[in-house]
Amino acid sequence: MTEKNMMSEFNEAAVHTAVRGWYAALDRHDDVGAVLPYVVDEGFEMHMPEGVFYGRTGFLEWYERVVNTFFDEEHTVERVDVSFLGEETAKVAVRVNWQARVWEPPEPVSSWLGFDARQTWTVVWQDDSVRVRRYVIEGLEAMPGSAPL
Protein backbone atom coordinates (compact mmCIF):
# COMPACT_ATOMS: atom_id res chain seq x y z
CA MET A 1 0.00 0.00 0.00
CA THR A 2 1.39 3.38 -0.98
CA GLU A 3 1.69 6.28 1.44
CA LYS A 4 -1.08 8.05 -0.48
CA ASN A 5 -3.42 5.07 0.03
CA MET A 6 -2.61 4.90 3.73
CA MET A 7 -3.49 8.59 4.15
CA SER A 8 -6.57 8.45 1.95
CA GLU A 9 -9.97 7.64 3.35
CA PHE A 10 -11.36 6.71 -0.04
CA ASN A 11 -12.61 3.24 0.70
CA GLU A 12 -15.79 1.20 0.59
CA ALA A 13 -16.99 2.49 3.96
CA ALA A 14 -16.58 6.11 2.81
CA VAL A 15 -18.59 5.40 -0.33
CA HIS A 16 -21.39 3.71 1.66
CA THR A 17 -21.46 6.68 4.05
CA ALA A 18 -21.68 9.13 1.12
CA VAL A 19 -24.52 7.21 -0.54
CA ARG A 20 -26.53 7.15 2.68
CA GLY A 21 -25.72 10.81 3.38
CA TRP A 22 -26.89 11.79 -0.11
CA TYR A 23 -30.27 10.15 0.35
CA ALA A 24 -30.71 11.51 3.88
CA ALA A 25 -30.07 15.04 2.54
CA LEU A 26 -32.62 14.49 -0.25
CA ASP A 27 -35.22 13.17 2.20
CA ARG A 28 -34.77 16.23 4.44
CA HIS A 29 -34.76 18.60 1.46
CA ASP A 30 -31.55 20.11 2.81
CA ASP A 31 -30.51 23.55 1.66
CA VAL A 32 -28.72 23.26 -1.67
CA GLY A 33 -25.51 24.51 -0.03
CA ALA A 34 -25.49 21.38 2.14
CA VAL A 35 -26.10 19.09 -0.86
CA LEU A 36 -23.61 20.58 -3.35
CA PRO A 37 -20.60 19.03 -1.56
CA TYR A 38 -21.87 15.61 -2.69
CA VAL A 39 -21.16 16.46 -6.36
CA VAL A 40 -17.90 17.25 -8.14
CA ASP A 41 -16.87 20.83 -8.74
CA GLU A 42 -16.70 20.33 -12.52
CA GLY A 43 -17.90 17.69 -14.97
CA PHE A 44 -21.05 16.54 -13.15
CA GLU A 45 -23.57 14.53 -15.19
CA MET A 46 -26.96 13.24 -14.03
CA HIS A 47 -29.29 11.01 -16.09
CA MET A 48 -32.81 11.09 -14.67
CA PRO A 49 -36.20 10.06 -16.10
CA GLU A 50 -36.98 13.75 -16.67
CA GLY A 51 -33.77 14.45 -18.59
CA VAL A 52 -29.99 14.78 -18.44
CA PHE A 53 -28.45 17.49 -16.29
CA TYR A 54 -24.88 18.76 -16.64
CA GLY A 55 -22.61 20.63 -14.26
CA ARG A 56 -23.54 22.38 -11.09
CA THR A 57 -26.06 24.52 -12.97
CA GLY A 58 -27.87 21.39 -14.13
CA PHE A 59 -27.74 19.93 -10.65
CA LEU A 60 -29.23 23.10 -9.18
CA GLU A 61 -32.03 23.02 -11.78
CA TRP A 62 -32.82 19.38 -10.92
CA TYR A 63 -32.64 19.91 -7.16
CA GLU A 64 -34.90 22.97 -7.26
CA ARG A 65 -37.46 20.93 -9.15
CA VAL A 66 -37.45 17.91 -6.80
CA VAL A 67 -37.65 19.86 -3.55
CA ASN A 68 -40.62 21.77 -4.93
CA THR A 69 -42.40 18.75 -6.40
CA PHE A 70 -41.99 15.81 -4.00
CA PHE A 71 -42.68 15.68 -0.28
CA ASP A 72 -42.65 13.05 2.47
CA GLU A 73 -39.75 11.50 0.59
CA GLU A 74 -38.12 8.37 1.92
CA HIS A 75 -35.18 6.63 0.29
CA THR A 76 -34.24 3.20 1.62
CA VAL A 77 -30.85 2.03 0.40
CA GLU A 78 -31.10 -1.68 -0.30
CA ARG A 79 -27.73 -2.37 -1.88
CA VAL A 80 -24.45 -0.59 -2.60
CA ASP A 81 -21.74 -2.41 -4.59
CA VAL A 82 -18.44 -0.59 -5.00
CA SER A 83 -15.86 -1.35 -7.71
CA PHE A 84 -12.71 0.73 -7.50
CA LEU A 85 -11.39 1.89 -10.86
CA GLY A 86 -8.26 3.48 -9.43
CA GLU A 87 -7.00 5.24 -6.34
CA GLU A 88 -9.51 8.06 -6.62
CA THR A 89 -12.39 6.72 -8.74
CA ALA A 90 -15.05 4.05 -8.21
CA LYS A 91 -18.15 2.78 -9.96
CA VAL A 92 -21.06 2.23 -7.60
CA ALA A 93 -24.15 0.12 -8.26
CA VAL A 94 -26.99 1.33 -6.05
CA ARG A 95 -30.42 -0.14 -5.48
CA VAL A 96 -32.76 2.14 -3.59
CA ASN A 97 -36.44 2.15 -2.79
CA TRP A 98 -37.93 5.63 -3.19
CA GLN A 99 -41.33 6.62 -1.89
CA ALA A 100 -42.80 10.10 -1.93
CA ARG A 101 -45.97 12.07 -2.36
CA VAL A 102 -46.77 14.61 -5.05
CA TRP A 103 -49.62 17.03 -5.46
CA GLU A 104 -50.83 18.25 -8.82
CA PRO A 105 -53.08 21.31 -8.51
CA PRO A 106 -56.07 21.39 -8.45
CA GLU A 107 -56.37 17.72 -7.40
CA PRO A 108 -58.09 17.32 -4.02
CA VAL A 109 -55.47 14.91 -2.66
CA SER A 110 -51.83 14.06 -3.20
CA SER A 111 -50.62 10.90 -4.95
CA TRP A 112 -48.25 8.30 -3.57
CA LEU A 113 -45.20 7.27 -5.60
CA GLY A 114 -43.17 4.15 -4.92
CA PHE A 115 -40.31 2.86 -7.05
CA ASP A 116 -37.35 0.54 -6.83
CA ALA A 117 -34.49 2.20 -8.67
CA ARG A 118 -31.31 0.72 -10.10
CA GLN A 119 -28.58 3.30 -10.41
CA THR A 120 -24.95 3.49 -11.46
CA TRP A 121 -22.78 6.21 -10.00
CA THR A 122 -19.20 7.16 -10.74
CA VAL A 123 -17.64 8.72 -7.66
CA VAL A 124 -14.29 10.35 -7.09
CA TRP A 125 -12.23 11.34 -4.10
CA GLN A 126 -12.11 15.15 -4.17
CA ASP A 127 -11.25 17.56 -1.37
CA ASP A 128 -11.07 14.67 1.13
CA SER A 129 -14.59 13.48 0.40
CA VAL A 130 -16.52 11.17 -1.90
CA ARG A 131 -18.21 13.14 -4.66
CA VAL A 132 -20.53 12.06 -7.45
CA ARG A 133 -19.27 12.70 -10.98
CA ARG A 134 -21.87 10.69 -12.91
CA TYR A 135 -25.31 9.54 -11.71
CA VAL A 136 -27.46 7.35 -13.94
CA ILE A 137 -30.89 5.86 -13.28
CA GLU A 138 -30.63 2.50 -15.04
CA GLY A 139 -34.18 1.41 -14.33
CA LEU A 140 -37.29 2.11 -12.29
CA GLU A 141 -39.81 -0.49 -11.19
CA ALA A 142 -43.10 0.86 -9.89
CA MET A 143 -44.40 -0.63 -6.67
CA PRO A 144 -48.00 -1.91 -6.72
CA GLY A 145 -50.41 1.01 -6.32
CA SER A 146 -47.88 3.70 -7.26
CA ALA A 147 -48.95 6.64 -9.37
CA PRO A 148 -46.89 6.97 -12.57
CA LEU A 149 -43.97 9.37 -12.75
Side-chain angles (χ1 to χ4, degrees):
M1 183 176 279
T2 67
E3 182 176 329
K4 183 176 184 179
N5 284 340
M6 289 172 35
M7 294 173 59
S8 173
E9 294 181 27
F10 186 54
N11 55 41
E12 195 165 332
V15 173
H16 280 257
T17 297
V19 169
R20 284 174 170 66
W22 166 266
Y23 287 119
L26 295 182
D27 288 348
R28 291 187 304 261
H29 288 194
D30 282 0
D31 180 75
V32 71
V35 181
L36 272 174
Y38 285 99
V39 302
V40 293
D41 293 332
E42 294 181 18
F44 179 73
E45 183 178 325
M46 182 179 236
H47 297 252
M48 304 299 283
E50 60 270 28
V52 181
F53 301 88
Y54 296 100
R56 286 195 161 204
T57 300
F59 173 77
L60 294 171
E61 175 187 329
W62 172 81
Y63 193 69
E64 177 74 18
R65 180 172 180 249
V66 295
V67 299
N68 288 293
T69 301
F70 305 111
F71 61 97
D72 294 338
E73 287 190 85
E74 184 176 337
H75 291 84
T76 303
V77 177
E78 296 176 347
R79 187 173 181 140
V80 177
D81 295 317
V82 182
S83 301
F84 288 94
L85 305 175
E87 290 185 13
E88 297 182 345
T89 306
K91 185 159 276 205
V92 185
V94 178
R95 182 155 175 104
V96 63
N97 176 266
W98 172 64
Q99 297 183 44
R101 298 201 69 80
V102 64
W103 179 66
E104 296 289 334
E107 294 297 321
V109 296
S110 63
S111 298
W112 171 76
L113 301 170
F115 290 87
D116 289 311
R118 291 183 332 276
Q119 305 173 359
T120 302
W121 301 14
T122 301
V123 298
V124 298
W125 185 249
Q126 183 181 74
D127 298 328
D128 294 326
S129 65
V130 175
R131 295 192 181 211
V132 180
R133 174 179 286 148
R134 191 165 192 263
Y135 185 107
V136 179
I137 302 284
E138 301 287 350
L140 289 172
E141 296 172 32
M143 297 172 65
S146 174
L149 267 180

